[in-house]
Amino acid sequence: MTTEQDDTALGRARVTDTPELTAYYEELGALDAGALWTVANDIEPWYPQPRSVPVLWRYAELRPLVHKALGLVRADDAGRRVVMLVNPGRRDVSAAAGLLYTGLQIMGPGEAMTAHRHQAAALRFVHEGTGAWTIVDGQKLKVGPRDFAITPGGTWHEHGNESADAPVIWQDGLDIPLVNALDAGFYEVHPELHQKPGKVVNSSLLTYAAHLLPYGSQKWSRPYSPLLAFPWEPTYEALLGLAKAEEGSPYDGVIAEYTNPLTGGPVMPTMGAHMQLLRPGQATRAHRHTGSVVYTAAKGRGFSVIAGRRFEWTDGDIFCVPSWAWHEHHNPDPSADACLFSFNDFPVMRSLGFHREEAYPDHGGHQPVTA
Ligand code: 1HN
Protein backbone atom coordinates (compact mmCIF):
# COMPACT_ATOMS: atom_id res chain seq x y z
CA MET A 1 0.00 0.00 0.00
CA THR A 2 1.05 3.61 -0.39
CA THR A 3 3.30 4.84 2.38
CA GLU A 4 2.10 8.29 3.28
CA GLN A 5 4.97 10.39 4.63
CA ASP A 6 4.51 12.29 7.87
CA ASP A 7 4.53 16.04 8.19
CA THR A 8 7.79 16.23 10.13
CA ALA A 9 9.53 15.29 6.85
CA LEU A 10 12.08 17.73 5.48
CA GLY A 11 10.34 20.10 3.06
CA ARG A 12 7.08 20.14 5.07
CA ALA A 13 6.05 22.93 7.41
CA ARG A 14 7.16 22.20 11.00
CA VAL A 15 7.29 25.50 12.86
CA THR A 16 6.45 25.34 16.58
CA ASP A 17 4.50 28.16 18.21
CA THR A 18 6.38 30.69 20.35
CA PRO A 19 4.98 33.78 22.07
CA GLU A 20 6.64 35.97 19.38
CA LEU A 21 5.09 33.89 16.57
CA THR A 22 1.63 33.90 18.14
CA ALA A 23 1.80 37.68 18.42
CA TYR A 24 3.03 37.87 14.83
CA TYR A 25 0.07 35.75 13.59
CA GLU A 26 -2.28 38.15 15.36
CA GLU A 27 -0.65 41.12 13.66
CA LEU A 28 -1.09 39.41 10.28
CA GLY A 29 -4.70 38.43 11.08
CA ALA A 30 -5.56 42.05 11.83
CA LEU A 31 -4.56 42.86 8.23
CA ASP A 32 -6.57 39.92 6.75
CA ALA A 33 -3.32 38.10 6.08
CA GLY A 34 -1.70 34.97 7.50
CA ALA A 35 1.47 32.86 7.54
CA LEU A 36 1.24 30.05 4.98
CA TRP A 37 3.31 27.66 7.11
CA THR A 38 0.52 27.50 9.71
CA VAL A 39 -1.86 25.89 7.20
CA ALA A 40 0.41 24.54 4.44
CA ASN A 41 0.18 20.89 5.51
CA ASP A 42 -3.64 21.10 5.67
CA ILE A 43 -4.19 22.85 2.38
CA GLU A 44 -1.63 20.69 0.61
CA PRO A 45 -2.39 17.15 1.80
CA TRP A 46 -0.23 14.25 0.59
CA TYR A 47 -3.31 12.79 -1.04
CA PRO A 48 -7.02 13.79 -1.26
CA GLN A 49 -8.72 14.25 2.13
CA PRO A 50 -12.45 14.38 1.30
CA ARG A 51 -14.80 15.58 4.00
CA SER A 52 -17.45 13.31 2.44
CA VAL A 53 -17.81 9.92 4.08
CA PRO A 54 -19.23 6.76 2.51
CA VAL A 55 -23.00 6.69 3.13
CA LEU A 56 -25.82 4.36 2.12
CA TRP A 57 -29.39 5.65 2.04
CA ARG A 58 -31.98 2.86 2.20
CA TYR A 59 -34.89 3.39 -0.21
CA ALA A 60 -37.24 1.40 2.04
CA GLU A 61 -36.53 3.86 4.88
CA LEU A 62 -36.72 7.04 2.80
CA ARG A 63 -39.75 6.13 0.68
CA PRO A 64 -42.41 6.64 3.42
CA LEU A 65 -40.89 10.04 4.25
CA VAL A 66 -40.82 11.04 0.59
CA HIS A 67 -44.51 10.09 0.35
CA LYS A 68 -45.22 12.09 3.51
CA ALA A 69 -44.04 15.26 1.73
CA LEU A 70 -46.97 14.87 -0.71
CA GLY A 71 -49.39 15.73 2.09
CA LEU A 72 -47.17 18.30 3.78
CA VAL A 73 -46.21 20.73 1.00
CA ARG A 74 -47.84 21.72 -2.26
CA ALA A 75 -45.55 21.40 -5.26
CA ASP A 76 -46.29 25.02 -6.21
CA ASP A 77 -45.14 26.25 -2.81
CA ALA A 78 -42.04 24.05 -2.58
CA GLY A 79 -41.02 24.67 -6.21
CA ARG A 80 -39.82 21.09 -6.31
CA ARG A 81 -40.91 18.54 -3.69
CA VAL A 82 -37.61 16.87 -2.93
CA VAL A 83 -36.01 15.01 -0.03
CA MET A 84 -32.31 15.61 -0.47
CA LEU A 85 -29.62 13.17 0.59
CA VAL A 86 -26.98 14.94 2.60
CA ASN A 87 -23.51 13.62 3.36
CA PRO A 88 -22.70 14.20 7.07
CA GLY A 89 -19.40 15.77 6.00
CA ARG A 90 -20.98 18.06 3.38
CA ARG A 91 -24.04 19.55 5.10
CA ASP A 92 -22.67 23.05 4.52
CA VAL A 93 -23.00 22.67 0.74
CA SER A 94 -25.96 20.21 0.56
CA ALA A 95 -23.85 17.63 -1.24
CA ALA A 96 -24.28 13.86 -1.24
CA ALA A 97 -20.59 13.38 -2.05
CA GLY A 98 -17.85 15.79 -3.10
CA LEU A 99 -19.54 18.51 -5.14
CA LEU A 100 -22.48 16.34 -6.29
CA TYR A 101 -26.03 16.82 -5.05
CA THR A 102 -28.75 14.17 -5.11
CA GLY A 103 -32.35 13.93 -3.90
CA LEU A 104 -35.63 12.05 -4.29
CA GLN A 105 -38.41 14.07 -5.95
CA ILE A 106 -42.06 13.07 -5.68
CA MET A 107 -44.85 14.21 -7.99
CA GLY A 108 -48.46 13.30 -7.22
CA PRO A 109 -50.94 12.07 -9.86
CA GLY A 110 -51.81 14.86 -12.29
CA GLU A 111 -49.28 17.30 -10.83
CA ALA A 112 -47.20 19.64 -12.99
CA MET A 113 -44.31 21.87 -11.90
CA THR A 114 -43.49 25.26 -13.39
CA ALA A 115 -40.57 25.85 -15.76
CA HIS A 116 -37.24 27.34 -14.80
CA ARG A 117 -33.62 27.20 -15.87
CA HIS A 118 -30.30 27.44 -14.08
CA GLN A 119 -26.60 27.18 -14.73
CA ALA A 120 -26.44 23.91 -12.78
CA ALA A 121 -26.91 20.73 -14.79
CA ALA A 122 -29.37 18.06 -13.68
CA LEU A 123 -30.02 14.41 -14.38
CA ARG A 124 -32.88 12.10 -13.44
CA PHE A 125 -33.07 8.42 -12.65
CA VAL A 126 -36.62 7.13 -12.21
CA HIS A 127 -37.33 4.99 -9.15
CA GLU A 128 -41.08 4.37 -9.50
CA GLY A 129 -44.25 5.41 -11.30
CA THR A 130 -45.07 5.33 -14.99
CA GLY A 131 -46.58 8.79 -15.50
CA ALA A 132 -43.47 11.00 -15.47
CA TRP A 133 -42.86 13.53 -18.18
CA THR A 134 -40.42 16.39 -18.51
CA ILE A 135 -40.11 19.18 -21.06
CA VAL A 136 -36.50 20.19 -21.77
CA ASP A 137 -36.09 23.25 -23.99
CA GLY A 138 -39.51 22.62 -25.53
CA GLN A 139 -38.98 18.89 -26.03
CA LYS A 140 -41.37 16.61 -24.15
CA LEU A 141 -39.95 13.34 -22.84
CA LYS A 142 -41.73 10.52 -21.09
CA VAL A 143 -39.70 8.46 -18.68
CA GLY A 144 -40.42 5.29 -16.74
CA PRO A 145 -38.76 3.21 -14.03
CA ARG A 146 -34.94 2.89 -14.37
CA ASP A 147 -34.87 5.36 -17.29
CA PHE A 148 -32.13 7.98 -17.26
CA ALA A 149 -32.65 11.52 -18.59
CA ILE A 150 -30.67 14.76 -18.61
CA THR A 151 -31.51 18.42 -18.11
CA PRO A 152 -28.28 20.12 -19.20
CA GLY A 153 -27.21 23.41 -17.61
CA GLY A 154 -29.11 26.40 -19.00
CA THR A 155 -32.04 24.45 -20.48
CA TRP A 156 -35.63 25.37 -19.60
CA HIS A 157 -37.28 22.49 -17.78
CA GLU A 158 -40.55 21.57 -16.13
CA HIS A 159 -41.98 18.21 -15.18
CA GLY A 160 -45.11 16.44 -14.15
CA ASN A 161 -46.90 13.17 -13.60
CA GLU A 162 -49.76 12.27 -15.94
CA SER A 163 -50.73 9.11 -14.05
CA ALA A 164 -54.28 9.09 -12.67
CA ASP A 165 -53.45 7.20 -9.51
CA ALA A 166 -49.74 6.63 -8.75
CA PRO A 167 -47.05 9.08 -7.66
CA VAL A 168 -43.72 9.29 -9.46
CA ILE A 169 -40.50 9.21 -7.48
CA TRP A 170 -37.36 10.02 -9.36
CA GLN A 171 -33.84 10.79 -8.24
CA ASP A 172 -32.31 14.14 -9.20
CA GLY A 173 -28.54 14.50 -9.56
CA LEU A 174 -27.11 18.01 -9.86
CA ASP A 175 -23.70 19.69 -9.97
CA ILE A 176 -25.09 22.52 -7.80
CA PRO A 177 -22.35 22.33 -5.11
CA LEU A 178 -19.72 22.59 -7.85
CA VAL A 179 -21.43 25.54 -9.53
CA ASN A 180 -21.75 27.28 -6.16
CA ALA A 181 -18.13 26.50 -5.21
CA LEU A 182 -17.14 28.32 -8.39
CA ASP A 183 -19.61 31.18 -7.76
CA ALA A 184 -21.19 30.60 -11.16
CA GLY A 185 -24.84 30.00 -10.28
CA PHE A 186 -27.72 31.72 -12.12
CA TYR A 187 -31.45 30.94 -11.87
CA GLU A 188 -34.46 32.15 -13.86
CA VAL A 189 -38.19 31.44 -13.72
CA HIS A 190 -39.80 30.97 -17.15
CA PRO A 191 -41.56 34.23 -18.11
CA GLU A 192 -44.77 32.33 -18.94
CA LEU A 193 -44.29 29.73 -16.17
CA HIS A 194 -44.70 26.97 -18.78
CA GLN A 195 -43.10 26.11 -22.12
CA LYS A 196 -45.01 25.30 -25.30
CA PRO A 197 -43.84 21.78 -26.07
CA GLY A 198 -43.29 20.59 -29.64
CA LYS A 199 -45.81 18.03 -30.93
CA VAL A 200 -43.41 15.09 -31.06
CA VAL A 201 -42.78 13.31 -27.78
CA ASN A 202 -39.29 11.83 -27.19
CA SER A 203 -38.01 13.46 -30.40
CA SER A 204 -34.34 13.15 -29.35
CA LEU A 205 -34.79 9.39 -28.94
CA LEU A 206 -36.47 9.16 -32.35
CA THR A 207 -33.65 11.21 -33.88
CA TYR A 208 -30.68 9.34 -32.45
CA ALA A 209 -32.04 5.79 -32.47
CA ALA A 210 -30.05 2.78 -33.72
CA HIS A 211 -26.55 4.29 -33.79
CA LEU A 212 -27.27 6.34 -36.93
CA LEU A 213 -26.41 10.02 -37.01
CA PRO A 214 -29.04 11.87 -38.96
CA TYR A 215 -28.37 14.49 -41.62
CA GLY A 216 -27.81 17.88 -39.99
CA SER A 217 -26.72 16.63 -36.57
CA GLN A 218 -23.22 18.06 -37.16
CA LYS A 219 -24.78 21.49 -36.68
CA TRP A 220 -25.33 20.76 -32.97
CA SER A 221 -22.87 23.02 -31.16
CA ARG A 222 -23.94 22.80 -27.54
CA PRO A 223 -21.62 21.26 -24.94
CA TYR A 224 -24.03 18.44 -24.04
CA SER A 225 -25.72 15.43 -25.59
CA PRO A 226 -28.60 16.17 -27.99
CA LEU A 227 -29.98 12.78 -26.92
CA LEU A 228 -31.79 13.59 -23.68
CA ALA A 229 -33.27 10.27 -22.53
CA PHE A 230 -31.89 6.74 -22.19
CA PRO A 231 -34.59 4.15 -21.50
CA TRP A 232 -33.88 1.14 -19.31
CA GLU A 233 -34.76 -1.73 -21.72
CA PRO A 234 -32.16 -0.98 -24.44
CA THR A 235 -29.63 -0.11 -21.73
CA TYR A 236 -30.06 -3.49 -20.04
CA GLU A 237 -30.03 -5.26 -23.43
CA ALA A 238 -26.76 -3.51 -24.26
CA LEU A 239 -25.18 -4.68 -20.99
CA LEU A 240 -26.33 -8.26 -21.56
CA GLY A 241 -24.80 -8.09 -25.05
CA LEU A 242 -21.60 -6.58 -23.72
CA ALA A 243 -21.42 -9.33 -21.06
CA LYS A 244 -21.42 -11.90 -23.88
CA ALA A 245 -18.77 -10.08 -25.89
CA GLU A 246 -16.36 -8.85 -23.22
CA GLU A 247 -14.96 -9.69 -19.82
CA GLY A 248 -15.55 -6.12 -18.63
CA SER A 249 -13.63 -4.20 -15.97
CA PRO A 250 -11.92 -5.95 -13.04
CA TYR A 251 -13.13 -3.09 -10.80
CA ASP A 252 -16.64 -2.49 -12.14
CA GLY A 253 -17.86 -5.59 -13.92
CA VAL A 254 -19.69 -5.02 -17.19
CA ILE A 255 -19.91 -1.24 -17.30
CA ALA A 256 -20.99 1.23 -19.98
CA GLU A 257 -21.19 4.99 -20.04
CA TYR A 258 -24.25 6.93 -21.23
CA THR A 259 -22.76 9.05 -24.00
CA ASN A 260 -23.31 11.99 -26.27
CA PRO A 261 -23.86 10.24 -29.64
CA LEU A 262 -22.03 13.04 -31.50
CA THR A 263 -18.81 12.85 -29.49
CA GLY A 264 -18.78 9.49 -27.71
CA GLY A 265 -17.98 11.53 -24.60
CA PRO A 266 -19.97 12.12 -21.42
CA VAL A 267 -23.55 13.39 -21.68
CA MET A 268 -22.77 16.73 -20.01
CA PRO A 269 -19.56 18.72 -19.38
CA THR A 270 -19.72 18.42 -15.59
CA MET A 271 -21.36 15.05 -14.91
CA GLY A 272 -21.10 11.60 -16.43
CA ALA A 273 -23.27 8.54 -15.82
CA HIS A 274 -22.88 4.78 -16.10
CA MET A 275 -24.91 1.61 -15.85
CA GLN A 276 -23.01 -1.50 -14.77
CA LEU A 277 -23.90 -5.14 -14.46
CA LEU A 278 -22.39 -7.51 -11.92
CA ARG A 279 -22.58 -11.09 -13.12
CA PRO A 280 -24.08 -13.72 -10.79
CA GLY A 281 -21.52 -14.34 -8.06
CA GLN A 282 -19.17 -11.59 -9.28
CA ALA A 283 -16.80 -9.85 -6.84
CA THR A 284 -14.84 -7.00 -8.38
CA ARG A 285 -11.37 -5.96 -7.27
CA ALA A 286 -10.90 -2.77 -5.28
CA HIS A 287 -9.54 0.43 -6.77
CA ARG A 288 -9.62 4.12 -5.99
CA HIS A 289 -9.68 7.18 -8.15
CA THR A 290 -10.14 10.92 -7.88
CA GLY A 291 -13.72 12.01 -8.47
CA SER A 292 -16.90 11.31 -6.51
CA VAL A 293 -19.61 8.81 -7.46
CA VAL A 294 -23.25 8.46 -6.41
CA TYR A 295 -24.64 4.96 -7.04
CA THR A 296 -28.22 3.69 -7.23
CA ALA A 297 -29.00 -0.02 -7.03
CA ALA A 298 -31.09 -0.45 -10.17
CA LYS A 299 -31.62 -4.21 -10.16
CA GLY A 300 -30.96 -7.05 -7.77
CA ARG A 301 -29.01 -6.92 -4.53
CA GLY A 302 -25.43 -7.08 -3.38
CA PHE A 303 -22.89 -5.17 -1.33
CA SER A 304 -19.99 -2.82 -1.84
CA VAL A 305 -16.95 -2.42 0.38
CA ILE A 306 -16.02 1.26 0.62
CA ALA A 307 -13.00 2.36 2.64
CA GLY A 308 -13.11 -0.97 4.47
CA ARG A 309 -16.81 -0.75 5.38
CA ARG A 310 -19.39 -3.11 3.96
CA PHE A 311 -22.63 -1.57 2.61
CA GLU A 312 -25.46 -3.95 1.66
CA TRP A 313 -27.72 -2.64 -1.07
CA THR A 314 -30.96 -3.63 -2.73
CA ASP A 315 -33.14 -2.15 -5.49
CA GLY A 316 -33.54 1.62 -5.04
CA ASP A 317 -30.83 2.11 -2.41
CA ILE A 318 -28.41 4.99 -3.00
CA PHE A 319 -24.81 5.13 -1.79
CA CYS A 320 -21.74 7.22 -2.43
CA VAL A 321 -18.04 6.68 -2.93
CA PRO A 322 -16.00 9.77 -1.99
CA SER A 323 -12.94 10.71 -4.01
CA TRP A 324 -9.90 8.46 -3.47
CA ALA A 325 -11.81 5.91 -1.35
CA TRP A 326 -11.05 2.23 -2.03
CA HIS A 327 -14.17 0.47 -3.31
CA GLU A 328 -15.27 -2.87 -4.73
CA HIS A 329 -18.65 -4.34 -5.64
CA HIS A 330 -20.07 -7.79 -4.92
CA ASN A 331 -23.06 -9.68 -6.28
CA PRO A 332 -23.21 -12.77 -4.06
CA ASP A 333 -26.32 -14.18 -5.79
CA PRO A 334 -25.18 -17.21 -7.85
CA SER A 335 -28.21 -17.11 -10.15
CA ALA A 336 -29.15 -13.44 -10.79
CA ASP A 337 -27.28 -10.42 -12.12
CA ALA A 338 -27.31 -7.06 -10.34
CA CYS A 339 -27.16 -3.58 -11.88
CA LEU A 340 -25.85 -0.30 -10.49
CA PHE A 341 -26.65 3.09 -12.00
CA SER A 342 -24.18 5.83 -11.09
CA PHE A 343 -23.33 9.42 -11.82
CA ASN A 344 -20.04 11.19 -11.22
CA ASP A 345 -17.92 14.31 -11.67
CA PHE A 346 -15.35 12.54 -13.89
CA PRO A 347 -15.78 14.99 -16.82
CA VAL A 348 -14.60 17.78 -14.49
CA MET A 349 -11.67 15.73 -13.18
CA ARG A 350 -10.60 14.71 -16.69
CA SER A 351 -10.93 18.10 -18.29
CA LEU A 352 -8.82 19.67 -15.53
CA GLY A 353 -6.18 16.93 -15.64
CA PHE A 354 -7.05 15.78 -12.10
CA HIS A 355 -7.91 12.17 -12.95
CA ARG A 356 -5.86 9.50 -11.11
CA GLU A 357 -6.58 5.87 -10.47
CA GLU A 358 -4.90 3.11 -8.48
CA ALA A 359 -5.53 -0.63 -8.05
CA TYR A 360 -5.70 -2.04 -4.51
CA PRO A 361 -2.42 -3.89 -4.27
CA ASP A 362 -2.93 -6.35 -1.43
CA HIS A 363 -4.98 -9.44 -0.52
CA GLY A 364 -5.75 -10.37 -4.13
CA GLY A 365 -7.37 -6.97 -4.70
CA HIS A 366 -9.84 -7.06 -1.79
CA GLN A 367 -9.93 -4.80 1.25
CA PRO A 368 -10.08 -6.18 4.77
CA VAL A 369 -13.58 -5.39 6.05
CA THR A 370 -13.40 -3.42 9.30
CA ALA A 371 -17.09 -2.55 9.80
C1 1HN B 1 -34.13 21.48 -9.74
O1 1HN B 1 -34.26 22.41 -10.68
C2 1HN B 1 -34.91 20.34 -9.77
O2 1HN B 1 -35.92 20.89 -11.83
C3 1HN B 1 -34.75 19.37 -8.80
O3 1HN B 1 -36.70 19.24 -10.73
C4 1HN B 1 -33.85 19.51 -7.79
C5 1HN B 1 -32.16 20.81 -6.68
C6 1HN B 1 -31.40 21.92 -6.60
C7 1HN B 1 -31.54 22.92 -7.54
C8 1HN B 1 -32.41 22.80 -8.59
C9 1HN B 1 -35.91 20.15 -10.86
C10 1HN B 1 -33.07 20.65 -7.71
C11 1HN B 1 -33.19 21.66 -8.68
Side-chain angles (χ1 to χ4, degrees):
M1 280 239 263
T2 25
T3 48
E4 265 90 36
Q5 294 162 278
D6 76 69
D7 286 336
T8 58
L10 217 56
R12 289 294 268 190
R14 45 193 185 134
V15 176
T16 10
D17 280 354
T18 60
E20 289 102 311
L21 276 172
T22 309
Y24 174 63
Y25 298 152
E26 272 168 29
E27 282 186 284
L28 286 175
L31 299 181
D32 293 323
L36 173 62
W37 61 85
T38 61
V39 298
N41 297 346
D42 295 328
I43 65 172
E44 288 193 284
W46 297 108
Y47 57 95
Q49 303 282 348
R51 282 186 290 142
S52 307
V53 293
V55 185
L56 181 136
W57 293 271
R58 275 178 223 297
Y59 193 65
E61 286 177 356
L62 285 169
R63 188 174 183 271
L65 291 177
V66 173
H67 273 264
K68 209 172 191 173
L70 265 183
L72 289 173
V73 286
R74 295 190 318 137
D76 273 349
D77 295 338
R80 300 293 193 249
R81 200 191 288 103
V82 182
V83 169
M84 58 181 187
L85 309 188
V86 189
N87 195 291
R90 301 298 274 159
R91 287 208 180 91
D92 53 338
V93 293
S94 301
L99 295 170
L100 297 173
Y101 159 100
T102 203
L104 289 169
Q105 174 159 186
I106 185 161
M107 294 182 282
E111 262 186 348
M113 317 280 151
T114 52
H116 64 209
R117 67 177 174 184
H118 36 69
Q119 186 57 57
L123 54 82
R124 327 282 170 190
F125 184 73
V126 182
H127 280 246
E128 58 180 278
T130 52
W133 55 265
T134 169
I135 304 171
V136 180
D137 268 352
Q139 196 187 129
K140 185 163 184 172
L141 315 168
K142 291 191 187 178
V143 285
R146 299 167 171 163
D147 289 358
F148 168 63
I150 60 170
T151 307
T155 57
W156 291 112
H157 56 284
E158 62 193 279
H159 356 277
N161 174 4
E162 64 187 22
S163 159
D165 42 34
V168 160
I169 298 178
W170 77 27
Q171 184 181 345
D172 299 307
L174 285 99
D175 58 5
I176 267 217
L178 170 74
V179 174
N180 288 339
L182 296 171
D183 291 331
F186 290 88
Y187 187 101
E188 271 175 276
V189 173
H190 194 281
E192 283 148 35
L193 293 183
H194 292 284
Q195 304 164 75
K196 290 184 184 61
K199 282 201 199 70
V200 182
V201 173
N202 288 345
S203 68
S204 78
L205 265 168
L206 297 169
T207 305
Y208 292 97
H211 315 288
L212 296 167
L213 285 187
Y215 173 79
S217 55
Q218 294 81 356
K219 285 195 299 243
W220 181 262
S221 59
R222 306 211 178 153
Y224 54 81
S225 169
L227 174 60
L228 301 174
F230 301 77
W232 162 250
E233 287 78 11
T235 304
Y236 183 55
E237 280 300 310
L239 286 181
L240 291 177
L242 189 54
K244 284 183 196 149
E246 300 275 340
E247 194 50 43
S249 148
Y251 311 111
D252 283 303
V254 182
I255 184 163
E257 182 172 15
Y258 295 94
T259 51
N260 176 338
L262 298 181
T263 63
V267 284
M268 297 188 285
T270 54
M271 291 188 291
H274 292 87
M275 183 67 82
Q276 71 195 80
L277 178 147
L278 302 170
R279 294 186 171 91
Q282 181 161 20
T284 69
R285 285 165 170 264
H287 73 157
R288 64 179 175 185
H289 46 69
T290 49
S292 307
V293 185
V294 177
Y295 289 88
T296 304
K299 179 177 186 289
R301 52 173 64 231
F303 67 91
S304 299
V305 183
I306 309 163
R309 288 179 61 199
R310 179 177 160 134
F311 294 87
E312 308 265 349
W313 41 259
T314 186
D315 222 346
D317 289 350
I318 298 165
F319 61 94
C320 69
V321 173
S323 184
W324 211 235
W326 295 114
H327 57 284
E328 61 195 82
H329 308 295
H330 296 248
N331 172 15
D333 191 325
S335 53
D337 60 27
C339 293
L340 291 170
F341 166 79
S342 62
F343 70 95
N344 59 63
D345 57 7
F346 298 168
V348 177
M349 300 316 245
R350 292 217 159 85
S351 60
L352 297 178
F354 293 168
H355 176 75
R356 281 212 206 187
E357 183 180 0
E358 232 172 58
Y360 191 78
D362 302 326
H363 313 297
H366 298 290
Q367 307 154 78
V369 179
T370 56

